[in-house]
Amino acid sequence: MRYYQLQTVTSFSFYESSVNVEDYASRLSFLKYSGGSVFDKNLFSYPYIDKFFAKNNLKPIYGLKVLLGYKEEVFEGQLIVKSEEGYLDLVKLFNMGKEVYSLEDFESKHGLIFILKTEDNRFKDKNYLVSHNFLFLKLDKLFDFYFGIEIYSLEDKEGIEITRKFILDRHYKSLAFPKVNYLNPKEGFLAYRMLKALKDKTVIKEDEEYKTPFFLLSINVLNKFYTLEELKNVETLADSVDFNLIKKRGE
């Protein structure tokens, strides 16, 4: 099986990540990943993804963090480019300059994948999931749609079973979607925490270390946290991506 990291926040999301794209590519290669994407609210990292992923023989997957407004609620998701048409649609959406998109903004946008984040505790409540099924049906109609499964603690591991059952019962797709804000749990965490402290104007406390396990996981850990289907669906998503910006520029 081939492994890909999708939800990675980079230093282009100011104050939110200590991940340098060159280091990200090197770390993915070291851990035997086959490629990866980014989870920023801008497209600024794309030229660097092209350069450093090619250098490390990794498949680039072009992603964009988006906020979706629905009935006075806001949901986080990731748009993934599947094709040239999808890339052009992604650029159009980004150029709208919106902080929060509506479902109407996503109409007639082809060649894109949408991954819905499930980190929020709302997604561990069966009644909540059932009451919002219309939204999920709509996203499933508009996109190649996935629920992004996120596990960061034992509590998450227990609660996510409710989400998994809901997805299975209604024949939606899900995939492994761990978040990365820093590359390793030591130096990377410290740099990330310093950025957060600057942003929030707070003081770093020693006991805060490692309480946010948002670092790049090893393949072994991925296999322990996520189901085979969730990992296979990441591979399937990556295989469906047929766009490379650096090759397009070279035509």
Side-chain angles (χ1 to χ4, degrees), residues 18 83 110 132 137 170 204 224:
S18 62
S83 62
H110 306 292
H132 285 71
L137 286 170
R170 286 157 182 80
I204 299 175
K224 289 181 179 178

mmCIF file with all atom_site columns, all heavy atoms in Angstrom, residues 18 83 110 132 137 170 204 224:
data_model
loop_
_atom_site.group_PDB
_atom_site.id
_atom_site.type_symbol
_atom_site.label_atom_id
_atom_site.label_alt_id
_atom_site.label_comp_id
_atom_site.label_asym_id
_atom_site.label_entity_id
_atom_site.label_seq_id
_atom_site.pdbx_PDB_ins_code
_atom_site.Cartn_x
_atom_site.Cartn_y
_atom_site.Cartn_z
_atom_site.occupancy
_atom_site.B_iso_or_equiv
_atom_site.pdbx_formal_charge
_atom_site.auth_seq_id
_atom_site.auth_comp_id
_atom_site.auth_asym_id
_atom_site.auth_atom_id
_atom_site.pdbx_PDB_model_num
ATOM 1  N N   . SER A 1 18  ? 4.727   25.293 11.797  1.00 0.00 ? 18  SER A N   1
ATOM 2  C CA  . SER A 1 18  ? 6.173   25.456 11.655  1.00 0.00 ? 18  SER A CA  1
ATOM 3  C C   . SER A 1 18  ? 6.713   24.604 10.502  1.00 0.00 ? 18  SER A C   1
ATOM 4  O O   . SER A 1 18  ? 7.911   24.381 10.394  1.00 0.00 ? 18  SER A O   1
ATOM 5  C CB  . SER A 1 18  ? 6.879   25.050 12.953  1.00 0.00 ? 18  SER A CB  1
ATOM 6  O OG  . SER A 1 18  ? 6.638   23.684 13.253  1.00 0.00 ? 18  SER A OG  1
ATOM 7  N N   . SER A 1 83  ? -8.049  17.329 -11.490 1.00 0.00 ? 83  SER A N   1
ATOM 8  C CA  . SER A 1 83  ? -7.753  17.492 -12.915 1.00 0.00 ? 83  SER A CA  1
ATOM 9  C C   . SER A 1 83  ? -7.469  18.956 -13.213 1.00 0.00 ? 83  SER A C   1
ATOM 10 O O   . SER A 1 83  ? -7.585  19.820 -12.340 1.00 0.00 ? 83  SER A O   1
ATOM 11 C CB  . SER A 1 83  ? -8.959  17.029 -13.741 1.00 0.00 ? 83  SER A CB  1
ATOM 12 O OG  . SER A 1 83  ? -10.095 17.848 -13.434 1.00 0.00 ? 83  SER A OG  1
ATOM 13 N N   . HIS A 1 110 ? -16.342 21.207 -11.134 1.00 0.00 ? 110 HIS A N   1
ATOM 14 C CA  . HIS A 1 110 ? -16.013 19.813 -11.419 1.00 0.00 ? 110 HIS A CA  1
ATOM 15 C C   . HIS A 1 110 ? -14.515 19.566 -11.243 1.00 0.00 ? 110 HIS A C   1
ATOM 16 O O   . HIS A 1 110 ? -13.714 20.493 -11.212 1.00 0.00 ? 110 HIS A O   1
ATOM 17 C CB  . HIS A 1 110 ? -16.450 19.465 -12.838 1.00 0.00 ? 110 HIS A CB  1
ATOM 18 C CG  . HIS A 1 110 ? -17.896 19.759 -13.112 1.00 0.00 ? 110 HIS A CG  1
ATOM 19 N ND1 . HIS A 1 110 ? -18.926 19.066 -12.520 1.00 0.00 ? 110 HIS A ND1 1
ATOM 20 C CD2 . HIS A 1 110 ? -18.478 20.699 -13.897 1.00 0.00 ? 110 HIS A CD2 1
ATOM 21 C CE1 . HIS A 1 110 ? -20.079 19.548 -12.929 1.00 0.00 ? 110 HIS A CE1 1
ATOM 22 N NE2 . HIS A 1 110 ? -19.846 20.547 -13.768 1.00 0.00 ? 110 HIS A NE2 1
ATOM 23 N N   . HIS A 1 132 ? -27.997 16.388 10.064  1.00 0.00 ? 132 HIS A N   1
ATOM 24 C CA  . HIS A 1 132 ? -27.262 17.119 9.029   1.00 0.00 ? 132 HIS A CA  1
ATOM 25 C C   . HIS A 1 132 ? -27.011 16.268 7.784   1.00 0.00 ? 132 HIS A C   1
ATOM 26 O O   . HIS A 1 132 ? -26.180 16.618 6.948   1.00 0.00 ? 132 HIS A O   1
ATOM 27 C CB  . HIS A 1 132 ? -25.924 17.630 9.587   1.00 0.00 ? 132 HIS A CB  1
ATOM 28 C CG  . HIS A 1 132 ? -26.080 18.803 10.491  1.00 0.00 ? 132 HIS A CG  1
ATOM 29 N ND1 . HIS A 1 132 ? -26.638 18.697 11.741  1.00 0.00 ? 132 HIS A ND1 1
ATOM 30 C CD2 . HIS A 1 132 ? -25.776 20.126 10.325  1.00 0.00 ? 132 HIS A CD2 1
ATOM 31 C CE1 . HIS A 1 132 ? -26.652 19.904 12.316  1.00 0.00 ? 132 HIS A CE1 1
ATOM 32 N NE2 . HIS A 1 132 ? -26.152 20.771 11.477  1.00 0.00 ? 132 HIS A NE2 1
ATOM 33 N N   . LEU A 1 137 ? -25.438 14.718 1.936   1.00 0.00 ? 137 LEU A N   1
ATOM 34 C CA  . LEU A 1 137 ? -25.952 14.265 0.641   1.00 0.00 ? 137 LEU A CA  1
ATOM 35 C C   . LEU A 1 137 ? -25.637 15.283 -0.454  1.00 0.00 ? 137 LEU A C   1
ATOM 36 O O   . LEU A 1 137 ? -25.274 14.922 -1.580  1.00 0.00 ? 137 LEU A O   1
ATOM 37 C CB  . LEU A 1 137 ? -27.458 14.038 0.726   1.00 0.00 ? 137 LEU A CB  1
ATOM 38 C CG  . LEU A 1 137 ? -27.929 12.791 1.484   1.00 0.00 ? 137 LEU A CG  1
ATOM 39 C CD1 . LEU A 1 137 ? -29.437 12.848 1.699   1.00 0.00 ? 137 LEU A CD1 1
ATOM 40 C CD2 . LEU A 1 137 ? -27.543 11.521 0.740   1.00 0.00 ? 137 LEU A CD2 1
ATOM 41 N N   . ARG A 1 170 ? -24.722 4.638  5.802   1.00 0.00 ? 170 ARG A N   1
ATOM 42 C CA  . ARG A 1 170 ? -25.269 5.456  4.713   1.00 0.00 ? 170 ARG A CA  1
ATOM 43 C C   . ARG A 1 170 ? -24.398 5.410  3.457   1.00 0.00 ? 170 ARG A C   1
ATOM 44 O O   . ARG A 1 170 ? -24.609 6.189  2.528   1.00 0.00 ? 170 ARG A O   1
ATOM 45 C CB  . ARG A 1 170 ? -25.468 6.893  5.206   1.00 0.00 ? 170 ARG A CB  1
ATOM 46 C CG  . ARG A 1 170 ? -26.678 6.985  6.134   1.00 0.00 ? 170 ARG A CG  1
ATOM 47 C CD  . ARG A 1 170 ? -26.626 8.171  7.058   1.00 0.00 ? 170 ARG A CD  1
ATOM 48 N NE  . ARG A 1 170 ? -27.788 8.179  7.937   1.00 0.00 ? 170 ARG A NE  1
ATOM 49 C CZ  . ARG A 1 170 ? -27.889 7.423  9.038   1.00 0.00 ? 170 ARG A CZ  1
ATOM 50 N NH1 . ARG A 1 170 ? -26.906 6.602  9.373   1.00 0.00 ? 170 ARG A NH1 1
ATOM 51 N NH2 . ARG A 1 170 ? -28.980 7.475  9.788   1.00 0.00 ? 170 ARG A NH2 1
ATOM 52 N N   . ILE A 1 204 ? 4.558   30.296 26.975  1.00 0.00 ? 204 ILE A N   1
ATOM 53 C CA  . ILE A 1 204 ? 4.709   28.857 26.800  1.00 0.00 ? 204 ILE A CA  1
ATOM 54 C C   . ILE A 1 204 ? 4.881   28.180 28.154  1.00 0.00 ? 204 ILE A C   1
ATOM 55 O O   . ILE A 1 204 ? 5.704   28.586 28.966  1.00 0.00 ? 204 ILE A O   1
ATOM 56 C CB  . ILE A 1 204 ? 5.926   28.533 25.907  1.00 0.00 ? 204 ILE A CB  1
ATOM 57 C CG1 . ILE A 1 204 ? 5.736   29.142 24.519  1.00 0.00 ? 204 ILE A CG1 1
ATOM 58 C CG2 . ILE A 1 204 ? 6.131   27.026 25.799  1.00 0.00 ? 204 ILE A CG2 1
ATOM 59 C CD1 . ILE A 1 204 ? 6.924   28.975 23.611  1.00 0.00 ? 204 ILE A CD1 1
ATOM 60 N N   . LYS A 1 224 ? -2.064  1.617  12.995  1.00 0.00 ? 224 LYS A N   1
ATOM 61 C CA  . LYS A 1 224 ? -2.682  1.333  14.293  1.00 0.00 ? 224 LYS A CA  1
ATOM 62 C C   . LYS A 1 224 ? -3.925  2.185  14.534  1.00 0.00 ? 224 LYS A C   1
ATOM 63 O O   . LYS A 1 224 ? -4.894  1.734  15.144  1.00 0.00 ? 224 LYS A O   1
ATOM 64 C CB  . LYS A 1 224 ? -1.667  1.580  15.416  1.00 0.00 ? 224 LYS A CB  1
ATOM 65 C CG  . LYS A 1 224 ? -0.551  0.548  15.489  1.00 0.00 ? 224 LYS A CG  1
ATOM 66 C CD  . LYS A 1 224 ? 0.402   0.853  16.635  1.00 0.00 ? 224 LYS A CD  1
ATOM 67 C CE  . LYS A 1 224 ? 1.501   -0.197 16.721  1.00 0.00 ? 224 LYS A CE  1
ATOM 68 N NZ  . LYS A 1 224 ? 2.469   0.099  17.811  1.00 0.00 ? 224 LYS A NZ  1
#
